[in-house]
Amino acid sequence: MATWLLRRMFQAALVILAMTVLVFVGVNVIGNPVDIMISPDATQEVRQRAIEALGFDQPLWRQYLTFLGNAVTGDIGKSYVFNQPALDVILQRLPATLELAVSALLLSILIGLPLGLLAGFRPDHPTSRAIMAGSIFGFSLPSFWVGLMLIMTFSVYLGWLPSIGRGQTVSVLGIEVSFLTLDGLKHLALPALNLALYQISMVLRLTRAGVRETLHQDFIKFARAKGLRPRRIVFVHVLKNILIPIVTVVGLGFGHTVAFSVVTETVFAWPGMGKLIIDAINVLDRPIIVAYLMMIVVLFVVINLLVDLTYTLLDPRIRLETQE
Amino acid sequence: MTNLTDSAPVRECEPSLFRLFVADFIRSRVALLGLVVFTIIILATVFAPLITPQDPYDLMQLDIMDGRLPPGSSNFDGSTTYILGTDDQGRDMFSGILYGLRTSLIVGVGSALLAALVGTLLGLVAAYVGGRFETFVMRLVDLQLSFPTILTALMILAVLGKSVLNVVLALVIVEWATYARTARAAALAERRRDYIVAAETLAIPSWRILLRHLLPNCLPSLIVVATIQIASAIALEATLSFLGIGVPITEPSLGLLIANGYKYMLAGDYWVSLFPGVALLVVIVSINLVGDHLRDILNPKNKS
Amino acid sequence: MPWNLRRLLAGLIVCGTASSPAFAVDVVMGRSTPQSVLDPHYTVQPTGVAIAPDIFDRLVRFRLDLQLEPGLALSWKPVDDLTWELKLRPEVSFHDGSAFDAEDVAASIRRAGSMPESPSPMSVNVGAVDDVDVVDPLTVRIKTTVPTPLLMDQIGQVFIIPSEYAEATTADFNSGKAMIGTGPYKFVSWVPNERVEVARFDGWWGGEPEFEKATMQFITEPSSRVAALLSGQVDVIDAVPPADVQTLEANPDVDVFSIPSVRLLYLHLDLKNDNSPFVTDKNGDPLSTNPLKDARVRKALSLLIDRQAITDRILGGGAAPAGQVAVKGQGGFSESLVPDPFDPERARALLAEAGYPDGFGLTLHCAVDRDVNSPQALQAVAQMFARGGIKVNAVDCQPYSVYSGAATQGKYSVFLWGRNDSVSDVTLNLRNGYMTFDKESGFGSFNRGRYSNPDFDGLVKQALQEFDQEKRYGLLRQASEVMLNDTAVIPVYFLNASWAAREGFSYDANMAVNTGLQYVHYTGNN
């Protein structure tokens, strides 16, 4: 187990290294931030000095080596836009995004799982059909569109919920969170719902598919024949068997939610990382891109690790990769 | 089908399987409805040039003076009626939707299928072979999943230039990882089941175990993911096009039509965004109805 | 809801004490540009200076029509070709109570020039400054390296901080510690990417600021900004999308404030390459000559554009047809340069005269994420070109990150570009955009099309050294006429700048497209 974890860490480090090379090459083929941001009133001299000061006149490999040298000492670089260490900028925005993503995850499980179970057990019931039909809306409508509709309905016409920002936050262990105040919760409601819609449909549909499949299997038929209570069948036998694909997708989905919450964050002016990364890509703020991706790689590695561990808990027949 | 070769027994099943398949679809009226709608959509997009009153991609046929006309308006000399209205370029929405569907379906279905092929194969092999290969594939998955779609697409645009094919390529690169992870997860669960162990002891070749035993059992989860991924590929393409990394703006896909119309929603010109949205919804619902049913048919555990 | 309640209370107080001018009114602004860094000297990008003008004063103030009026400097005059003398405003104090004097001016100008590690440094405004001499506490002399008639326009952009903070780091500003200016509002707090809160500075030299407290909420998505205004979560928004102007105007709870701005959208033309990358013949094959080098062809393209149709239909009236690079009111504006009329007949004749009776093929480029509706406008131009016999091979709109570099490197043939002046005349615009590209002199640094005309160069060189404003404007006018008679670029339209406010608030629409609390007025709750 310990060696398995260590190996995972080592692999993660390799992934991060590969990622930094990709970012350097990738950003370099797209362009440089001076061309994007320089004032049209600037003289060539000012432009040239900016390019030199930021090191863009150096060959790419040298820029990369400089970066690696600094990275070893823990310095990933200063953002060109924020003029702050890139990692600080990211960490500052992490709580907002995590809060949003966790809320969306909870919503997707709280709503998706029971509805999926219902639709799976009674596939021909009108309610189930309605649920399945409704779930299609969750992933087929572009989320910016749904976001605007949510704002128009709940914010403009009904005036129930605010649509902008995080509202009142409280500091918990130095981290600002909004779910602990009523005002914060109100601000959280619409963006979380917007972000969760896709996940809800995904969880719902996978649950239903799993239930339908499991119900046909012999051990369930056997359990039924044995006269086990339906509730026990559902919660012990069926649920355990369908959780693996759901855990995978939810795990991945969580990472996705964090990484790609850009649309929701933009529409609801939520000060998180999704908005940050899209802005950074738009102006090729390389230190931010690198720092952000490092963070996300770590996040994905951790999630995958947890997912793999969950597999072994759910189904002891599954081995961890290197225990062969 | 005639049976000439030595694999005759397999071939012989095919017509009956096909007939079963059809019969099965006919029995489920909802799935049949989905299939019919989907077929109509495909036909309509294929024969779009014959049905539509306008070639929405031909700049000569557009006039901004006819821009944002409500449904049912006609152009200045009354020769064309815009039954679904027009967008800001004076593009007939009906024509635009049919042409846009073409692009969206090619991009969405094409990329989802390609990604499914690549991802499933890698995921299955990884689960079956294990060891170094599995580690390599799974870390590649981590890398890919953490890389922002937009950055991937931007890089492809910067290196390869802009084309529909490159959009498909970008989407495949983005989406294969989801399939790989799902396939591996499902395969891991199956791998230790008795029948696989039995097949192995019978010395059945690995590729056969993979394709004949592991794959069919992973299909149900994969089809769920795929039907959703087609939808999300179409939506992702819309986002990319909106950001200028997707299809050309003069040849809008369905998603781009929605995105372009979005800014007129608050102004009350609902048709610019709503009708393409409804079209997208119909397509995705029909794909899902067919997909759901396919999953039930193909699931080896459902055979009763 | 708290905002409604607050409005209601404010209203009640107005009714009760109609004669008393001072009562607590707060305002919430929805702004399109987020504040990324508080250090006012780090960059000239809006992400660095969006909120600064309300907290820090500058030497001059820009009037609504772009012209200068005294700010922290009361008067300024050139002593000789290389020296300006400034008289400063007495009895001005900073938010921390310290007095403003010449040392603060010197320190601020030096600091603004000393942050090279910025992709868009503030040094662009102080590049000509050689040295700042403090003559007495209320007099400074500024020495320049070259004659700089426009010095006040440029150093007037620099925000004045106390000299004690000359060594402050960006982190000191971000933490709020160094956020000390002489402006009407005091800094209170900053939540990155979300909002900045400020409070009234009672000691402001310009009178009592109107609002007790103000919140600036950053809402980059246009539709969300409009929705926030409609739902009453914010009182004022900037950058109203053209599509929503009419809807908002029809709404009784909301007023819209618009003005033609300095933001010009124009077509850049490749005049450099003999075989331009995106010019083809009618079959899509490369051409051996570049038709864009022929002034008649350029004029023909300009005549094919129905500017009024574009501003009416695509921009919903939120733009004005353009026939030159200066907007009316700006130095260098010429009454004789009217927008080219829509005249396909003459265009065809000119094309035939130039040897292209059947036209040729073009791919048009633009940025998707820069100016509102500019891809739509370019598609409309493409329609008009197509009807005029030009074969439009494609309209390719790309993210600005890809587009800007490629355009600057001359990889496009015809492309839509947006530019706005930050100064009161077009000297810098003409110098950087149209003078012959020359690495040595530094002229023509953004002359992407590589237009070159010695007559024009001569006129602009004179203007660059002309201290007499009337004479300078005359030279700039002449230069503009020379350049536009050559159709060096094809001006298409000037964008309107629009703000919207809820009932009870008004906004001073200004040509420089400045968004700030100083432009917001409380008009009472009727």
Side-chain angles (χ1 to χ4, degrees):
Chain A
M1 184 75 190
T3 41
W4 180 76
L5 268 178
L6 266 178
R7 283 185 64 145
R8 267 293 180 89
M9 301 286 168
F10 175 69
Q11 290 165 9
L14 281 184
V15 170
I16 289 178
L17 205 65
M19 188 272 305
T20 54
V21 173
L22 264 177
V23 171
F24 264 76
V25 174
V27 169
N28 193 55
V29 291
I30 299 171
N32 86 59
V34 177
D35 276 340
I36 298 169
M37 287 191 262
I38 193 86
S39 155
D41 292 336
T43 55
Q44 287 188 23
E45 192 201 344
V46 170
R47 176 169 176 266
Q48 198 54 36
R49 255 195 304 168
I51 286 180
E52 280 164 21
L54 293 167
F56 292 121
D57 54 335
Q58 306 282 328
L60 189 64
W61 59 268
R62 186 168 294 157
Q63 291 180 41
Y64 184 69
L65 287 187
T66 313
F67 160 77
L68 272 192
N70 291 335
V72 170
T73 66
D75 171 17
I76 298 174
K78 233 165 52 165
S79 156
Y80 307 140
V81 174
F82 296 91
N83 198 28
Q84 278 181 72
L87 213 51
D88 292 3
V89 178
I90 304 270
L91 288 176
Q92 216 168 29
R93 288 169 181 62
L94 186 64
T97 295
L98 279 185
E99 186 173 24
L100 193 57
V102 171
S103 312
L105 181 76
L106 286 178
L107 276 180
S108 70
I109 293 172
L110 288 179
I111 299 177
L113 205 59
L115 290 184
L117 285 174
L118 186 70
F121 280 112
R122 297 182 173 179
D124 296 321
H125 197 270
T127 321
S128 306
R129 287 177 187 250
I131 291 172
M132 289 308 286
S135 75
I136 292 174
F137 286 87
F139 57 84
S140 57
L141 290 174
S143 62
F144 55 85
W145 206 83
V146 177
L148 186 65
M149 290 305 110
L150 287 176
I151 293 179
M152 289 309 291
T153 313
F154 292 103
S155 199
V156 178
Y157 291 122
L158 297 173
W160 291 351
L161 293 167
S163 61
I164 297 301
R166 287 182 83 185
Q168 193 188 347
T169 56
V170 276
S171 188
V172 178
L173 304 171
I175 296 166
E176 295 289 322
V177 293
S178 47
F179 71 93
L180 289 176
T181 66
L182 183 64
D183 184 51
L185 270 181
K186 277 184 171 177
H187 280 82
L188 188 58
L190 289 182
L193 183 64
N194 185 222
L195 195 58
L197 275 181
Y198 176 85
Q199 284 286 85
I200 293 175
S201 334
M202 200 83 170
V203 169
L204 193 160
R205 303 194 131 236
L206 280 170
T207 310
R208 176 181 173 273
V211 170
R212 299 270 291 129
E213 187 189 324
T214 316
L215 282 183
H216 287 286
Q217 287 187 8
D218 295 339
F219 71 92
I220 298 290
K221 289 178 184 160
F222 183 67
R224 274 186 175 164
K226 230 172 75 177
L228 282 184
R229 290 227 315 275
R231 179 174 299 171
R232 192 172 159 77
I233 296 182
V234 173
F235 286 101
V236 177
H237 298 284
V238 176
L239 214 51
K240 204 174 126 187
N241 261 276
I242 61 174
L243 274 180
I244 285 194
I246 296 174
V247 167
T248 310
V249 170
V250 166
L252 283 184
F254 182 69
H256 265 285
T257 312
V258 170
F260 309 114
S261 52
V262 44
V263 173
T264 301
E265 290 189 3
T266 308
V267 171
F268 292 94
W270 190 264
M273 295 196 305
K275 183 82 186 67
L276 178 73
I277 183 67
I278 188 79
D279 289 343
I281 291 173
N282 279 339
V283 296
L284 302 181
D285 194 348
R286 194 172 63 198
I288 293 278
I289 302 177
V290 170
Y292 170 84
L293 283 179
M294 285 173 120
M295 173 92 92
I296 295 293
V297 169
V298 170
L299 190 75
F300 268 94
V301 169
V302 171
I303 288 174
N304 280 346
L305 214 132
L306 290 177
V307 167
D308 282 350
L309 284 175
T310 321
Y311 288 169
T312 51
L313 289 180
L314 287 173
D315 189 345
R317 286 169 300 182
I318 294 178
R319 52 172 166 78
L320 291 176
E321 277 165 46
T322 52
Q323 284 180 347
E324 280 279 69
Chain B
M1 296 263 165
T2 45
N3 35 0
L4 294 170
T5 58
D6 52 352
S7 61
V10 180
R11 290 235 169 165
E12 224 172 28
C13 313
E14 276 179 6
S16 65
L17 242 181
F18 181 70
R19 218 177 297 144
L20 247 176
F21 190 83
V22 172
D24 216 45
F25 254 96
I26 290 173
R27 234 177 295 139
S28 165
R29 269 175 300 167
V30 186
L32 187 67
L33 182 73
L35 195 63
V36 169
V37 171
F38 192 64
T39 315
I40 292 175
I41 290 169
I42 296 284
L43 288 177
T45 53
V46 171
F47 296 107
L50 303 177
I51 311 169
T52 57
Q54 185 193 63
D55 176 358
Y57 294 172
D58 180 6
L59 291 170
M60 294 286 278
Q61 295 187 29
L62 304 183
D63 190 340
I64 53 167
M65 298 318 277
D66 281 353
R68 285 163 70 193
L69 294 178
S73 318
S74 44
N75 66 344
F76 66 99
D77 62 4
S79 60
T80 314
T81 306
Y82 305 119
I83 50 168
L84 298 182
T86 60
D87 72 358
D88 52 14
Q89 295 296 313
R91 190 179 283 119
D92 174 38
M93 289 312 294
F94 176 66
S95 314
I97 287 170
L98 284 191
Y99 275 73
L101 256 172
R102 277 183 169 181
T103 319
S104 290
L105 282 175
I106 291 171
V107 170
V109 178
S111 67
L113 290 185
L114 264 176
L117 196 71
V118 177
T120 308
L121 202 68
L122 284 174
L124 283 183
V125 175
Y128 190 74
V129 178
R132 286 264 159 92
F133 183 75
E134 180 176 26
T135 310
F136 177 72
V137 171
M138 292 334 283
R139 292 303 80 78
L140 214 56
V141 167
D142 289 345
L143 182 61
Q144 183 49 55
L145 286 176
S146 48
F147 221 75
T149 311
I150 290 156
L151 193 59
T152 312
L154 255 181
M155 279 152 69
I156 289 174
L157 169 76
V159 179
L160 298 177
K162 191 185 267 187
S163 76
V164 173
L165 211 64
N166 289 344
V167 177
V168 174
L169 182 68
L171 292 178
V172 171
I173 292 179
V174 169
E175 296 201 327
W176 73 270
T178 313
Y179 292 98
R181 202 130 214 326
T182 316
R184 172 176 168 270
L188 277 185
E190 290 297 324
R191 174 114 173 60
R192 292 280 134 174
R193 297 242 157 120
D194 298 338
Y195 70 96
I196 299 280
V197 179
E200 275 175 344
T201 43
L202 282 173
I204 292 174
S206 321
W207 63 268
R208 225 184 137 88
I209 296 182
L210 265 178
L211 292 185
R212 280 293 164 93
H213 302 287
L214 273 183
L215 180 62
N217 281 296
C218 303
L219 271 182
S221 321
L222 280 171
I223 289 180
V224 176
V225 174
T227 43
I228 293 183
Q229 286 298 64
I230 290 178
S232 81
I234 292 176
L236 201 55
E237 180 273 320
T239 312
L240 292 183
S241 299
F242 189 55
L243 297 172
I245 331 174
V247 298
I249 49 165
T250 45
E251 297 174 8
S253 61
L254 210 50
L256 187 52
L257 284 175
I258 301 174
N260 277 341
Y262 170 73
K263 58 173 167 286
Y264 301 116
M265 285 302 281
L266 287 179
D269 296 350
Y270 63 91
W271 62 89
V272 193
S273 187
L274 185 69
F275 290 138
V278 170
L280 181 64
L281 207 64
V282 170
V283 173
I284 288 171
V285 168
S286 66
I287 291 178
N288 271 281
L289 291 178
V290 177
D292 281 357
H293 197 62
L294 262 185
R295 186 199 59 224
D296 289 346
I297 298 175
L298 293 179
N299 193 342
K301 289 167 194 159
N302 283 5
K303 295 271 160 65
S304 41
Chain C
M1 233 152 275
W3 46 87
N4 287 339
L5 192 66
R6 201 189 53 229
R7 187 78 38 72
L8 191 71
L9 282 176
L12 287 174
I13 297 168
V14 177
C15 297
T17 57
S19 60
S20 154
F23 51 86
V25 180
D26 299 346
V27 66
V28 183
M29 250 182 140
R31 304 184 60 134
S32 55
T33 317
Q35 190 75 26
S36 303
V37 52
L38 289 182
D39 188 333
H41 296 150
Y42 177 64
T43 176
V44 289
Q45 282 273 311
T47 53
V49 297
I51 62 138
D54 282 319
I55 295 169
F56 302 95
D57 280 314
R58 295 177 278 193
L59 290 170
V60 296
R61 294 164 60 82
F62 292 85
R63 291 197 328 228
L64 301 184
D65 64 355
L66 272 182
Q67 298 304 318
L68 306 185
E69 63 182 20
L72 289 179
L74 276 181
S75 65
W76 49 90
K77 61 169 194 287
V79 180
D80 57 51
D81 270 5
L82 295 176
T83 315
W84 280 82
E85 188 175 276
L86 279 61
K87 288 283 179 204
L88 303 178
R89 189 179 291 274
E91 287 160 26
V92 170
S93 71
F94 282 101
H95 298 161
D96 62 359
S98 60
F100 158 78
D101 66 17
E103 289 297 341
D104 302 317
V105 174
S108 300
I109 290 177
R110 287 195 194 109
R111 189 171 185 275
S114 68
M115 305 196 92
E117 279 188 16
S118 162
S120 182
M122 192 51 107
S123 58
V124 58
N125 289 319
V126 296
V129 176
D130 186 30
D131 198 15
V132 186
D133 286 341
V134 174
V135 179
D136 64 55
L138 292 177
T139 312
V140 285
R141 282 190 173 202
I142 296 174
K143 301 248 189 252
T144 58
T145 48
V146 287
T148 314
L150 226 54
L151 185 77
M152 288 313 289
D153 278 89
Q154 295 188 286
I155 62 168
Q157 313 270 353
V158 175
F159 298 98
I160 305 298
I161 61 166
S163 53
E164 303 92 86
Y165 289 104
E167 304 292 316
T169 60
T170 294
D172 292 333
F173 283 96
N174 286 352
S175 71
K177 193 182 115 199
M179 287 297 283
I180 304 292
T182 60
Y185 291 92
K186 290 186 291 191
F187 174 81
V188 175
S189 70
W190 175 46
V191 184
N193 259 23
E194 189 180 352
R195 62 174 184 266
V196 166
E197 282 169 16
V198 297
R200 165 157 57 203
F201 173 45
D202 291 317
W204 189 45
W205 56 267
E208 185 170 276
E210 275 186 69
F211 302 102
E212 180 74 23
K213 273 196 228 129
T215 305
M216 285 173 270
Q217 192 93 36
F218 306 119
I219 313 172
T220 48
E221 170 59 35
S223 298
S224 307
R225 206 158 52 238
V226 173
L229 182 78
L230 288 175
S231 63
Q233 294 176 76
V234 299
D235 302 308
V236 183
I237 59 169
D238 65 355
V240 180
D244 295 322
V245 167
Q246 281 168 357
T247 326
L248 290 180
E249 275 172 346
N251 187 324
D253 298 331
V254 171
D255 289 315
V256 180
F257 307 87
S258 295
I259 194 171
S261 79
V262 284
R263 184 79 183 169
L264 170 69
L265 274 292
Y266 60 100
L267 288 173
H268 250 309
L269 307 162
D270 175 14
L271 312 185
K272 178 179 71 168
N273 298 308
D274 274 328
N275 31 14
S276 196
F278 287 100
V279 178
T280 64
D281 63 14
K282 292 282 260 194
N283 300 322
D285 298 320
L287 271 180
S288 57
T289 53
N290 177 0
L292 300 173
K293 282 188 153 184
D294 191 322
R296 289 169 297 190
V297 172
R298 303 199 292 266
K299 183 75 175 174
L301 291 180
S302 180
L303 291 167
L304 283 176
I305 300 173
D306 184 350
R307 290 171 174 77
Q308 195 65 49
I310 292 177
T311 55
D312 286 351
R313 307 295 307 184
I314 301 291
L315 294 146
Q324 56 185 311
V325 296
V327 70
K328 188 168 183 150
Q330 207 183 359
F333 176 83
S334 163
E335 291 286 351
S336 69
L337 290 172
V338 290
D340 273 334
F342 173 54
D343 191 348
E345 290 310 309
R346 224 179 105 211
R348 282 218 182 84
L350 280 170
L351 281 175
E353 212 182 299
Y356 300 95
D358 299 321
F360 50 91
L362 272 181
T363 297
L364 311 176
H365 286 86
C366 77
V368 266
D369 47 358
R370 206 62 179 175
D371 287 285
V372 64
N373 283 8
S374 67
Q376 279 71 26
L378 189 65
Q379 285 180 75
V381 168
Q383 284 183 16
M384 293 161 183
F385 281 180
R387 266 188 225 105
I390 304 290
K391 183 172 179 294
V392 178
N393 295 321
V395 178
D396 192 354
C397 295
Q398 306 197 330
Y400 194 71
S401 55
V402 175
Y403 174 76
S404 61
T408 305
Q409 290 157 28
K411 289 187 181 163
Y412 301 141
S413 293
V414 175
F415 52 105
L416 188 67
W417 196 268
R419 187 196 196 280
N420 50 285
D421 275 304
S422 51
V423 293
S424 54
D425 70 31
V426 291
T427 315
L428 298 179
N429 188 349
L430 297 186
R431 180 194 72 188
N432 287 356
Y434 305 97
M435 278 178 82
T436 306
F437 178 81
D438 180 9
K439 272 218 144 90
E440 287 303 301
S441 63
F443 293 142
S445 51
F446 292 104
N447 185 348
R448 298 183 178 83
R450 298 293 188 263
Y451 168 70
S452 174
N453 181 334
D455 295 344
F456 173 84
D457 289 356
L459 287 165
V460 180
K461 267 184 197 151
Q462 270 178 276
L464 278 168
Q465 317 215 344
E466 182 54 66
F467 281 84
D468 183 290
Q469 182 173 303
E470 273 315 301
K471 281 188 191 155
R472 188 169 74 245
Y473 283 6
L475 289 164
L476 293 171
R477 206 156 40 231
Q478 270 180 288
S480 294
E481 283 160 11
V482 169
M483 172 195 111
L484 281 149
N485 285 334
D486 286 343
T487 323
V489 290
I490 302 176
V492 186
Y493 57 85
F494 286 106
L495 263 183
N496 281 2
S498 298
W499 293 262
R502 290 190 70 85
E503 186 84 348
F505 294 89
S506 73
Y507 197 89
D508 295 335
N510 59 84
M511 284 169 67
V513 206
N514 287 326
T515 294
L517 294 168
Q518 296 171 65
Y519 302 96
V520 185
H521 303 293
Y522 182 71
T523 55
N525 199 352
N526 331 318

